[in-house]
């Protein structure tokens, strides 16, 4: 299960990045489709945050390591900033207002957050979690994933 957590969560982050990029590219040519893409991105990011807070963080907290606590605190603060920025972009796009600057800010926040997780938080999980812990996590992820609806 070498680097499983990093690979799994990084793949999910790439999926979210693709949705966000598609949203931005379609803003002018197809605003309605762009809004749908943004909502898919938003729900996926909320799921990502939920997985972090309800699955990864509790497993990491059992290790009682100040560096891990710092990583989790940083991620929690980033989650808060991302949620606020997403709401801001959503409000602008729903009202057909220019959101370019706010979208750019969201992109920077996402990039920083994903990088921090991919290079710090997820590798810590890979180092600390044994095969049983990873298997339990995979099972919980599968239970928390709902198929996309039309």
């Amino acid at each position: 299960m070498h680097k499983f957590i990093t690979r799994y969560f990084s793949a999910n982050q790439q999926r979210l990045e693709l949705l966000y990029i598609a949203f931005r590219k379609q803003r002018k040519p197809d605003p309605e489709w762009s809004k749908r893409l943004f909502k898919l991105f938003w729900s996926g990011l909320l799921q990502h945050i939920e997985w972090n807070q309800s699955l990864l963080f509790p497993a990491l907290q059992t290790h009682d390591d100040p560096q891990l606590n710092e990583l989790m605190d940083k991620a929690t603060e980033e989650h808060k900033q991302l949620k606020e920025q997403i709401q801001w972009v959503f409000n602008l796009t729903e009202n057909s207002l220019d959101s370019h600057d706010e979208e750019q800010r969201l992109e920077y926040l996402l990039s920083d957050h994903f990088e921090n997780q991919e290079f710090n938080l997820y590798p810590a999980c890979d180092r600390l979690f044994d095969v049983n812990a990873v298997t339990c996590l995979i099972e919980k992820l599968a239970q928390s994933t709902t198929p996309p609806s039309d």
Side-chain angles (χ1 to χ4, degrees), residues 83-110:
K83 286 179 181 179
E84 290 171 358
Q85 192 64 24
I86 286 171
Q87 185 65 55
W88 188 246
V89 170
F90 176 75
N91 291 340
L92 291 171
T93 58
E94 282 297 298
N95 293 306
S96 301
L97 298 172
D98 180 33
S99 60
H100 179 270
D101 292 345
E102 298 305 323
E103 290 171 24
Q104 191 66 49
R105 178 167 155 54
L106 178 54
E107 188 172 323
Y108 292 145
L109 289 170
L110 276 173

Side-chain angles (χ1 to χ4, degrees), residues 17-63:
E17 287 171 337
L18 288 172
L19 285 169
Y20 190 71
I21 289 166
F23 150 73
R24 291 199 72 196
K25 285 185 177 180
Q26 293 303 314
R27 290 275 290 131
K28 293 210 187 315
D30 193 340
E32 287 308 309
W33 189 48
S34 177
K35 288 178 183 179
R36 290 175 62 197
L37 289 167
F38 187 79
K39 288 176 183 176
L40 288 169
F41 159 75
W42 190 354
S43 68
L45 188 64
L46 290 175
Q47 183 178 56
H48 159 86
I49 290 170
E50 177 63 24
W51 285 348
N52 279 200
Q53 294 176 343
S54 67
L55 300 175
L56 285 184
F57 292 178
L60 286 170
Q61 287 167 341
T62 64
H63 294 278

Side-chain angles (χ1 to χ4, degrees), residues 106-117:
L106 178 54
E107 188 172 323
Y108 292 145
L109 289 170
L110 276 173
S111 179
D112 287 347
H113 176 66
F114 287 167
E115 187 175 298
N116 287 334
Q117 292 200 313

Side-chain angles (χ1 to χ4, degrees), residues 1-10 122 126 134-135 137-138 141:
M1 310 231 64
H2 182 69
K3 294 186 178 183
F4 181 84
I5 300 295
T6 299
R7 289 180 179 154
Y8 186 90
F9 281 90
S10 293
Y122 300 150
D126 286 324
V134 172
T135 303
L137 183 64
I138 295 167
L141 287 168

